[in-house]
């Protein structure tokens, strides 16, 4: 392999590494650490020989030498009797929406409670010995709030419930797995689950010990600065936050309207502050503040290599319930049996839903990730920039308004990292707000004009002076 073609000079250098920690599992000379923007990235100081680089290329997401999601999932699920396939979601046996009835699993979850409940069922049925999931970091001296760890009891599993919008990597926890015999289940985003699947092809211990994978639907991955941003605007400066609940349910409010609870210190005094999500600057998922660049170049919405995929049921008939509901897409026959028995015993409530209903529940995600990825690929090709091969082809075939939205989302994401770093150097959060608000205003203006177009008010727009419209798009 030419040095110019290795994964560090292409994928890592150009921002297409998710920083999952798999490189460190493969080669201890490679460290996975947070960079200046709060994103995990692999780095090394020692020489890596050709064989090492070849192996890294085979287990690296976005590498031309690694298998893609179709190839991995076909090998895993393609021969299951009566399995179905759709290119938008991958393989599936059944699709549901609903919530857990048993115990307090739903109450203590970000949504319907299925992640923790499935782990509990696997544990009680003696199918696993431990769960690999994201938990609060017990090291109070570390600035890292959350990390992957192993739970070996139902109590520990339940204590690790909840969604964390925080970057994590797997090198430390997979080292524990390799050194501790047992059967494990892991939960993660598409990049983490896919990375473990790729690693399992070349690591027989990981292949043998990771028995089940629970995949989460993930709009995009955030840096640590997203969390710093939320806390700083309520007075808790970066480094002074001790814990955060990103998804605190609000009784009698729609489930997509939740609060964020933050604990930390302000001027040495311990505080607990709760704010509604829409009261906090930078929380609009569409803007893409602090988004990983790699997230804009994934085509896997439904965590296609996971045994079961869970997400929020973002549908009116389900979001009206403040306690939250999941969509559940099943690929694994053992988990299918657990779900069916849970329905029969009334431990869980699930409605069978259609594929199209599932896609509607994640409409914005599919739109951005699948439908408009070709345009982002086209832009890279137009600039003659290196980018990974994806399962969709580059194309310029989207409308003007959507191009403007995509162009601005990429700009907002890039600038949020840079501007926040400068704000920290200046110790001035308002610097961040001032500079990023200019992008938000442009974004909102584009959507406003787009809405007029959708409402049939284009005739009014055409009567406006052309120079005003052009000015709105340029600003």
């Amino acid at each position: 392999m030419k040095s110019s073609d290795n994964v560090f000079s292409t994928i890592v250098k150009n921002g297409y590494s998710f920083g999952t920690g798999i490189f460190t599992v493969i080669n201890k000379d490679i460290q996975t650490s947070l960079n200046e923007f709060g994103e995990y990235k692999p780095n090394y100081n020692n020489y890596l020989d050709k064989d090492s680089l070849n192996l890294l290329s085979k287990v690296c997401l976005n590498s031309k030498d690694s298998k893609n999601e179709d190839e991995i999932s076909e090998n895993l699920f393609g021969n299951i009797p009566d399995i179905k396939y759709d290119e938008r979601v991958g393989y599936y046996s059944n699709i549901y929406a609903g919530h857990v009835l048993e115990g307090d699993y739903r109450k203590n979850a970000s949504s319907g409670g299925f992640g923790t409940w499935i782990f509990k069922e696997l544990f009680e049925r003696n199918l696993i010995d431990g769960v690999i999931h994201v938990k609060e970091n017990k090291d109070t001296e570390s600035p890292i709030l959350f990390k992957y760890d192993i739970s070996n009891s139902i109590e520990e599993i339940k204590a690790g419930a909840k969604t964390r919008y925080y970057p994590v990597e797997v090198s430390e926890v997979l080292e524990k797995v390799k050194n501790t015999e047992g059967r494990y289940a892991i939960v993660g985003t598409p990049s983490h689950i896919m990375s473990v699947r790729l690693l399992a092809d070349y690591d027989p211990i990981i292949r043998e010990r990771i028995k089940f994978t629970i995949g989460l639907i993930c709009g995009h991955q955030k840096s640590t600065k997203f969390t710093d941003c939320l806390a700083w605007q309520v007075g808790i400066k970066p480094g002074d936050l001790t814990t955060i609940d990103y998804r605190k349910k609000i009784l009698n409010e729609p489930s997509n309207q939740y609060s964020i609870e933050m604990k930390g210190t302000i001027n040495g005094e311990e505080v607990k502050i709760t704010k509604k999500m829409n009261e906090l600057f930078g929380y609009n998922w569409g803007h893409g503040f602090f988004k990983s660049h790699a997230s804009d170049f994934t085509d896997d919405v439904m965590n296609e290599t996971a045994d079961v995929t869970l997400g929020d049921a973002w549908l009116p008939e389900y979001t009206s319930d403040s306690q939250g509901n999941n969509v559940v897409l099943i690929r694994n026959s053992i988990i299918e049996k657990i779900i069916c028995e849970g329905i029969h015993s009334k431990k869980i409530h699930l409605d069978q839903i259609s594929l199209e209903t599932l896609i509607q529940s994640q409409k914005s995600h599919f739109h951005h990730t699948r439908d408009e990825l070709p345009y982002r690929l086209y832009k890279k090709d137009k600039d003659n920039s290196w980018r990974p091969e994806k399962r969709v082809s580059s194309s310029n075939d989207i409308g003007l308004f959507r191009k403007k939205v995509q162009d601005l989302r990429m700009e907002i994401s890039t600038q949020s990292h840079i501007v926040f770093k400068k704000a920290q150097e200046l110790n001035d959060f308002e610097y961040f707000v001032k500079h990023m608000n200019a992008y938000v205003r442009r974004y909102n203006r584009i959507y406003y004009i787009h809405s007029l177009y959708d409402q049939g008010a284009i005739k009014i727009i055409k009567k406006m002076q052309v120079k005003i419209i052009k000015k709105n798009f340029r600003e």
Side-chain angles (χ1 to χ4, degrees):
M1 178 183 293
K2 296 180 181 178
S3 61
S4 60
D5 293 333
N6 74 52
V7 292
F8 282 94
S9 58
T10 53
I11 294 165
V12 178
K13 179 182 177 182
N14 291 287
Y16 297 101
S17 168
F18 283 98
T20 62
I22 291 297
F23 281 14
T24 302
V25 180
I26 291 288
N27 190 318
K28 298 301 183 292
D29 288 333
I30 301 172
Q31 287 78 45
T32 302
S33 55
L34 291 171
N35 66 11
E36 59 185 335
F37 299 113
E39 297 179 291
Y40 279 110
K41 297 298 176 187
N43 53 82
Y44 66 99
N45 296 317
N46 298 327
Y47 171 77
L48 296 176
D49 60 27
K50 181 178 178 181
D51 289 341
S52 295
L53 290 171
N54 279 333
L55 180 55
L56 291 174
S57 186
K58 291 175 182 177
V59 300
C60 179
L61 287 168
N62 288 326
S63 167
K64 63 182 178 61
D65 297 317
S66 65
K67 295 177 182 177
N68 65 27
E69 290 81 355
D70 286 339
E71 293 168 313
I72 292 286
S73 59
E74 182 180 7
N75 182 57
L76 291 168
F77 312 119
N79 294 323
I80 296 175
D82 301 320
I83 197 80
K84 298 175 279 290
Y85 177 82
D86 184 279
E87 65 176 10
R88 296 167 293 179
V89 304
Y91 289 94
Y92 66 99
S93 56
N94 277 299
I95 308 170
Y96 301 95
H99 54 266
V100 177
L101 296 171
E102 179 183 9
D104 56 3
Y105 291 95
R106 187 190 192 195
K107 178 183 177 182
N108 294 331
S110 296
S111 192
F114 271 99
T116 307
W117 184 82
I118 291 171
F119 282 144
K120 184 268 297 185
E121 287 290 315
L122 292 171
F123 198 86
E124 286 187 340
R125 293 164 189 251
N126 194 30
L127 293 170
I128 58 171
D129 304 301
V131 166
I132 305 165
H133 57 158
V134 179
K135 303 166 69 174
E136 289 189 9
N137 188 3
K138 296 177 183 177
D139 183 359
T140 56
E141 299 299 315
S142 171
I144 297 170
L145 295 178
F146 302 100
K147 59 186 287 188
Y148 264 114
D149 206 346
I150 298 172
S151 291
N152 298 109
S153 70
I154 293 174
E155 289 72 25
E156 277 190 280
I157 294 167
K158 291 173 72 174
K162 286 275 191 175
T163 296
R164 326 284 195 187
Y165 298 129
Y166 197 87
V168 288
E169 58 90 18
V170 299
S171 64
E172 182 181 340
V173 77
L174 289 189
E175 190 65 24
K176 291 181 181 179
V177 169
K178 294 182 72 168
N179 291 330
T180 310
E181 188 174 347
R183 302 159 299 166
Y184 299 90
I186 185 171
V187 61
T189 66
S191 63
H192 290 96
I193 298 300
M194 181 63 174
S195 291
V196 169
R197 293 298 199 189
L198 289 170
L199 176 64
D201 272 354
Y202 297 93
D203 190 319
I205 297 177
I206 294 297
R207 183 167 60 250
E208 173 62 26
R209 293 182 181 173
I210 303 291
K211 298 295 186 183
F212 298 95
T213 58
I214 295 183
L216 304 175
I217 298 173
C218 174
H220 59 261
Q221 292 180 210
K222 298 286 194 184
S223 76
T224 62
K225 305 303 180 182
F226 173 65
T227 301
D228 288 341
C229 173
L230 299 178
W232 199 359
Q233 61 194 282
V234 300
I236 304 173
K237 292 183 177 181
D240 291 338
L241 183 71
T242 54
T243 187
I244 180 170
D245 182 349
Y246 298 93
R247 295 281 297 271
K248 193 172 181 65
K249 296 171 182 177
I250 306 173
L251 187 63
N252 299 323
E253 292 278 351
S255 60
N256 58 356
Q257 299 296 315
Y258 44 84
S259 291
I260 299 155
E261 182 181 273
M262 295 161 276
K263 296 179 183 179
T265 58
I266 299 178
N267 298 324
E269 182 181 348
E270 291 187 3
V271 296
K272 180 173 74 172
I273 299 172
T274 303
K275 291 282 187 179
K276 286 188 176 182
M277 56 169 283
N278 54 14
E279 296 176 348
L280 293 168
F281 185 68
Y283 206 86
N284 185 315
W285 226 249
H287 294 160
F289 280 29
F290 308 105
K291 182 196 299 184
S292 164
H293 179 71
S295 289
D296 261 341
F297 292 87
T298 179
D299 51 21
D300 183 2
V301 176
M302 288 302 298
N303 218 318
E304 296 174 38
T305 66
D307 292 319
V308 57
T309 297
L310 307 175
D312 290 288
W314 296 138
L315 296 162
E317 59 268 38
Y318 293 104
T319 57
S320 59
D321 184 344
S322 61
Q323 293 305 304
N325 286 278
N326 287 118
V327 287
V328 182
L329 181 147
I330 302 171
R331 304 184 182 96
N332 178 285
S333 56
I334 294 175
I335 293 178
E336 177 79 74
K337 183 174 184 289
I338 290 172
I339 292 294
C340 289
E341 290 177 359
I343 294 171
H344 182 73
S345 63
K346 298 189 177 353
K347 289 182 177 180
I348 59 178
H349 170 80
L350 283 174
D351 304 316
Q352 194 150 22
I353 62 173
S354 69
L355 174 62
E356 296 307 319
T357 300
L358 171 71
I359 290 171
Q360 187 66 25
S361 77
Q362 312 296 322
K363 181 180 178 181
S364 296
H365 193 356
F366 275 102
H367 198 39
H368 179 86
T369 303
R370 293 284 301 193
D371 300 342
E372 295 180 348
L373 172 58
Y375 174 67
R376 297 192 293 278
L377 297 175
Y378 162 80
K379 288 200 65 173
K380 291 294 182 182
D381 293 344
K382 184 181 177 183
D383 294 339
N384 199 28
S385 299
W386 188 93
R387 53 90 171 172
E389 290 297 318
K390 306 309 298 181
R391 292 176 293 170
V392 296
S393 301
S394 66
S395 173
N396 190 34
D397 188 23
I398 63 171
L400 172 64
F401 284 115
R402 293 310 304 176
K403 286 179 180 177
K404 292 293 183 182
V405 168
Q406 285 299 315
D407 292 346
L408 192 49
R409 279 179 177 172
M410 286 185 276
E411 192 174 359
I412 287 173
S413 174
T414 299
Q415 289 301 315
S416 65
H417 297 289
I418 296 168
V419 176
F420 193 82
K421 181 175 180 290
K422 182 66 175 178
Q424 283 193 273
E425 292 169 356
L426 297 171
N427 192 27
D428 183 4
F429 183 71
E430 289 306 313
Y431 176 90
F432 178 75
V433 174
K434 176 183 176 182
H435 283 75
M436 294 310 298
N437 250 335
Y439 294 101
V440 172
R441 286 193 295 269
R442 285 171 56 193
Y443 187 90
N444 292 342
R445 192 156 51 237
I446 289 172
Y447 262 93
Y448 174 69
I449 295 173
H450 195 188
S451 70
L452 293 179
Y453 181 90
D454 285 346
Q455 294 168 20
I458 192 65
K459 293 179 181 179
I460 298 173
I461 296 177
K462 284 183 177 179
K463 293 179 181 178
M464 296 178 181
Q465 295 181 17
V466 173
K467 64 180 182 180
I468 295 177
I469 299 176
K470 289 182 177 180
K471 180 175 181 294
N472 281 338
F473 281 133
R474 283 199 303 269
E475 286 182 355

